[in-house]
Amino acid sequence: MTNSGMNPKVDEYLSKAQKWQEEFEKLRMIILDCQLSEELKWGVPCYTSQKKNIVLIHGFKEYCAILFIKGALLQDVNGILIKQTENVQAGRQIRFTNVREIVEMEPILKAYIYEGIEIEKAGLEVNFKKNIELIIPEEFQNKFHETAALKTAFEALTPGRQRAYILYFSQPKQSKTRESRVEKCMEKILNGKGLNDQ
């Protein structure tokens, strides 16, 4: 770590960013201004306070975002937090499509980040809804019988990753589509990766 709190791993991440480089740099400056420590976790810049994850920066095709790990607990007075998908319980994003939006929102972003730090200091936790018993689709069950290693690999995944796969496999109405989704993901599961892991 250098004095300014910048982590060389994040420097490297930013230098390789194909897209959103300018936006990432600006978000990084704003977050570091809030006295957070910078690390690279889950392959993206993550910012912590007393070793607790507060916020991370990530980019997608259509937008880049900062994700508040316990965003569900923020008051969101400006109504800008986005739940990435229906099934996300704790995290909330603020999305951007250009650097100007970030510059304009700097004071608001800082207020949200400071609130995120306070939530951690207070030891607040998100009340996770008890996972509704997830039903493994038949098409996936069948693959377990064909490939024993698949069942073992799937059971070794974190509950969140298992849940993401089951929801993804269960979505299509047609059995054929469900089956093709299972087949496309088998290699990922066997490699111990989650649905959205690169």
Side-chain angles (χ1 to χ4, degrees):
M1 291 291 260
T2 54
N3 295 347
S4 60
M6 288 187 174
N7 188 317
K9 285 185 184 152
V10 175
D11 290 333
E12 192 183 340
Y13 171 87
L14 294 175
S15 73
K16 287 184 182 153
Q18 306 288 306
K19 205 174 178 186
W20 311 117
Q21 202 162 13
E22 199 184 346
E23 288 79 6
F24 285 162
E25 293 284 359
K26 185 63 192 161
L27 287 168
R28 179 191 203 188
M29 290 308 135
I30 292 171
I31 297 169
L32 286 174
D33 246 8
C34 299
Q35 312 303 306
L36 291 176
S37 306
E38 184 174 68
E39 298 175 41
L40 201 63
K41 285 187 181 180
W42 309 291
V44 295
C46 179
Y47 299 85
T48 62
S49 172
Q50 294 162 339
K51 304 244 185 288
K52 299 276 190 198
N53 303 322
I54 306 294
V55 68
L56 55 84
I57 300 175
H58 53 178
F60 298 88
K61 209 161 77 184
E62 311 293 334
Y63 61 88
C64 65
I66 63 173
L67 176 85
F68 289 90
I69 308 289
K70 292 186 179 176
L73 297 176
L74 293 171
Q75 286 171 358
D76 194 17
V77 286
N78 296 281
I80 51 177
L81 292 178
I82 296 172
K83 204 173 169 181
Q84 207 174 344
T85 65
E86 237 352 88
N87 301 303
V88 171
Q89 295 193 37
R92 295 291 182 274
Q93 286 180 334
I94 302 177
R95 295 178 179 176
F96 310 97
T97 52
N98 60 59
V99 85
R100 195 182 64 248
E101 294 173 345
I102 298 170
V103 173
E104 285 168 5
M105 280 181 69
E106 183 165 345
I108 295 171
L109 292 178
K110 285 187 171 171
Y112 277 56
I113 293 164
Y114 286 126
E115 190 186 343
I117 296 169
E118 288 311 312
I119 285 170
E120 269 310 337
K121 276 191 188 149
L124 300 179
E125 292 295 337
V126 175
N127 285 325
F128 287 101
K129 291 190 202 83
K130 284 286 166 265
N131 279 352
I132 314 124
E133 206 39 58
L134 290 171
I135 295 146
I136 295 180
E138 195 183 334
E139 296 78 5
F140 193 28
Q141 287 277 14
N142 295 342
K143 291 288 176 211
F144 280 173
H145 299 308
E146 289 169 29
T147 317
L150 184 65
K151 189 173 196 298
T152 314
F154 182 73
E155 286 168 354
L157 294 172
T158 61
R161 287 190 166 128
Q162 291 182 10
R163 183 184 164 84
Y165 276 121
I166 291 173
L167 291 167
Y168 177 66
F169 296 153
S170 306
Q171 273 164 354
K173 296 213 178 354
Q174 294 191 327
S175 171
K176 212 164 68 188
T177 318
R178 290 197 294 269
E179 199 169 331
S180 106
R181 281 191 173 187
V182 170
E183 280 169 5
K184 282 196 184 106
C185 293
M186 278 174 66
E187 198 175 328
K188 264 192 160 172
I189 295 171
L190 290 166
N191 289 328
K193 293 191 169 196
L195 184 60
N196 301 311
D197 295 351
Q198 289 308 306

